[in-house]
Short mmCIF file of all heavy atoms in Angstrom, two decimals:
data_model
loop_
_atom_site.label_atom_id
_atom_site.label_comp_id
_atom_site.label_asym_id
_atom_site.label_seq_id
_atom_site.Cartn_x
_atom_site.Cartn_y
_atom_site.Cartn_z
N ALA A 123 -55.28 -75.22 19.68
CA ALA A 123 -55.01 -76.41 20.54
C ALA A 123 -55.96 -76.48 21.68
O ALA A 123 -56.45 -77.52 22.10
CB ALA A 123 -53.57 -76.40 20.92
N LEU A 126 -59.43 -77.58 20.41
CA LEU A 126 -59.44 -79.00 20.06
C LEU A 126 -59.29 -79.90 21.24
O LEU A 126 -59.96 -80.99 21.35
CB LEU A 126 -58.43 -79.28 18.97
CG LEU A 126 -58.67 -78.61 17.60
CD1 LEU A 126 -57.61 -78.92 16.59
CD2 LEU A 126 -60.07 -78.92 17.04
N ASP A 127 -58.56 -79.51 22.20
CA ASP A 127 -58.48 -80.27 23.49
C ASP A 127 -59.84 -80.35 24.12
O ASP A 127 -60.28 -81.34 24.63
CB ASP A 127 -57.45 -79.58 24.42
CG ASP A 127 -57.30 -80.32 25.72
OD1 ASP A 127 -57.01 -81.55 25.64
OD2 ASP A 127 -57.45 -79.72 26.79
N VAL A 130 -62.01 -82.83 22.33
CA VAL A 130 -61.66 -84.21 22.67
C VAL A 130 -62.13 -84.52 24.08
O VAL A 130 -62.75 -85.60 24.30
CB VAL A 130 -60.14 -84.40 22.55
CG1 VAL A 130 -59.67 -85.76 23.14
CG2 VAL A 130 -59.72 -84.30 21.12
N THR A 131 -61.82 -83.68 25.08
CA THR A 131 -62.06 -84.02 26.48
C THR A 131 -63.54 -83.81 26.91
O THR A 131 -63.99 -84.50 27.83
CB THR A 131 -61.20 -83.24 27.43
OG1 THR A 131 -61.35 -81.83 27.20
CG2 THR A 131 -59.70 -83.58 27.13
N ASN A 136 -62.87 -87.82 18.15
CA ASN A 136 -61.81 -88.83 17.95
C ASN A 136 -60.67 -88.40 17.06
O ASN A 136 -59.52 -88.89 17.22
CB ASN A 136 -62.44 -90.09 17.31
CG ASN A 136 -63.63 -90.56 18.03
OD1 ASN A 136 -64.76 -90.24 17.74
ND2 ASN A 136 -63.40 -91.43 19.04
N VAL A 138 -58.78 -84.92 15.27
CA VAL A 138 -58.73 -83.45 15.24
C VAL A 138 -57.58 -83.05 14.29
O VAL A 138 -56.65 -83.81 14.01
CB VAL A 138 -58.47 -82.84 16.59
CG1 VAL A 138 -59.72 -83.04 17.54
CG2 VAL A 138 -57.21 -83.28 17.29
N HIS A 148 -49.51 -74.39 14.30
CA HIS A 148 -50.80 -74.76 14.83
C HIS A 148 -50.85 -76.22 15.11
O HIS A 148 -51.26 -76.67 16.23
CB HIS A 148 -51.94 -74.40 13.85
CG HIS A 148 -52.24 -72.92 13.72
ND1 HIS A 148 -51.63 -72.10 12.88
CD2 HIS A 148 -53.18 -72.14 14.38
CE1 HIS A 148 -52.17 -70.87 12.99
NE2 HIS A 148 -53.14 -70.92 13.87
N LEU A 149 -50.50 -77.07 14.13
CA LEU A 149 -50.68 -78.47 14.28
C LEU A 149 -49.67 -79.04 15.28
O LEU A 149 -50.08 -80.06 16.00
CB LEU A 149 -50.54 -79.16 12.89
CG LEU A 149 -51.64 -78.72 11.93
CD1 LEU A 149 -51.48 -79.40 10.57
CD2 LEU A 149 -53.06 -78.99 12.49
N GLN A 150 -48.47 -78.51 15.32
CA GLN A 150 -47.55 -78.95 16.38
C GLN A 150 -48.12 -78.72 17.82
O GLN A 150 -48.05 -79.55 18.67
CB GLN A 150 -46.18 -78.31 16.27
CG GLN A 150 -45.18 -78.86 17.22
CD GLN A 150 -44.94 -80.35 17.05
OE1 GLN A 150 -44.47 -80.73 15.90
NE2 GLN A 150 -45.16 -81.14 18.05
N MET A 151 -48.75 -77.60 17.95
CA MET A 151 -49.35 -77.21 19.28
C MET A 151 -50.49 -78.19 19.59
O MET A 151 -50.68 -78.56 20.69
CB MET A 151 -49.80 -75.78 19.27
CG MET A 151 -50.32 -75.23 20.55
SD MET A 151 -48.99 -74.62 21.72
CE MET A 151 -48.14 -73.39 20.78
N VAL A 152 -51.26 -78.50 18.56
CA VAL A 152 -52.40 -79.46 18.74
C VAL A 152 -51.80 -80.85 19.13
O VAL A 152 -52.33 -81.49 20.14
CB VAL A 152 -53.23 -79.59 17.44
CG1 VAL A 152 -54.23 -80.73 17.52
CG2 VAL A 152 -54.03 -78.31 17.17
N VAL A 153 -50.77 -81.26 18.49
CA VAL A 153 -50.21 -82.58 18.80
C VAL A 153 -49.68 -82.57 20.24
O VAL A 153 -49.85 -83.52 20.97
CB VAL A 153 -49.06 -82.92 17.81
CG1 VAL A 153 -48.25 -84.18 18.27
CG2 VAL A 153 -49.66 -83.22 16.44
N ASP A 154 -48.94 -81.50 20.63
CA ASP A 154 -48.42 -81.37 21.95
C ASP A 154 -49.53 -81.39 23.02
O ASP A 154 -49.36 -81.91 24.05
CB ASP A 154 -47.57 -80.10 22.11
CG ASP A 154 -46.33 -80.12 21.27
OD1 ASP A 154 -45.92 -81.23 20.78
OD2 ASP A 154 -45.73 -79.07 21.06
N ARG A 155 -50.65 -80.85 22.72
CA ARG A 155 -51.74 -80.70 23.67
C ARG A 155 -52.65 -81.92 23.77
O ARG A 155 -53.08 -82.34 24.83
CB ARG A 155 -52.57 -79.45 23.25
CG ARG A 155 -53.73 -79.12 24.18
CD ARG A 155 -53.38 -78.21 25.31
NE ARG A 155 -54.47 -77.93 26.17
CZ ARG A 155 -55.04 -76.78 26.42
NH1 ARG A 155 -54.53 -75.71 25.82
NH2 ARG A 155 -56.04 -76.67 27.19
N VAL A 156 -53.01 -82.50 22.61
CA VAL A 156 -53.99 -83.63 22.65
C VAL A 156 -53.39 -84.94 22.24
O VAL A 156 -54.05 -85.99 22.39
CB VAL A 156 -55.23 -83.31 21.80
CG1 VAL A 156 -55.91 -82.06 22.25
CG2 VAL A 156 -54.90 -83.28 20.33
N GLY A 157 -52.17 -85.02 21.75
CA GLY A 157 -51.54 -86.24 21.33
C GLY A 157 -51.62 -87.27 22.43
O GLY A 157 -51.15 -87.00 23.58
N GLY A 158 -52.18 -88.46 22.15
CA GLY A 158 -52.19 -89.52 23.16
C GLY A 158 -53.38 -89.47 24.10
O GLY A 158 -53.62 -90.40 24.87
N LYS A 159 -54.17 -88.42 24.08
CA LYS A 159 -55.35 -88.29 25.03
C LYS A 159 -56.43 -89.26 24.47
O LYS A 159 -56.60 -89.38 23.25
CB LYS A 159 -55.94 -86.90 25.03
CG LYS A 159 -55.17 -86.01 25.98
CD LYS A 159 -55.88 -84.69 26.22
CE LYS A 159 -55.11 -83.87 27.17
NZ LYS A 159 -55.79 -82.70 27.53
N ARG A 160 -57.20 -89.81 25.35
CA ARG A 160 -58.36 -90.53 25.00
C ARG A 160 -59.61 -89.65 24.93
O ARG A 160 -59.74 -88.79 25.81
CB ARG A 160 -58.64 -91.66 26.05
CG ARG A 160 -57.61 -92.74 25.96
CD ARG A 160 -58.09 -93.99 26.81
NE ARG A 160 -57.17 -95.06 26.77
CZ ARG A 160 -57.16 -95.94 25.81
NH1 ARG A 160 -58.03 -95.94 24.82
NH2 ARG A 160 -56.26 -96.97 25.85
N PRO A 161 -60.38 -89.81 23.93
CA PRO A 161 -61.59 -88.96 23.87
C PRO A 161 -62.52 -89.27 25.03
O PRO A 161 -62.56 -90.39 25.49
CB PRO A 161 -62.22 -89.39 22.59
CG PRO A 161 -61.21 -90.06 21.79
CD PRO A 161 -60.25 -90.68 22.79
#
Side-chain angles (χ1 to χ4, degrees):
L126 293 179
D127 182 55
V130 170
T131 59
N136 308 92
V138 295
H148 284 90
L149 297 178
Q150 184 61 59
M151 187 84 55
V152 169
V153 169
D154 292 345
R155 179 91 182 240
V156 302
K159 281 192 176 182
R160 289 193 179 272

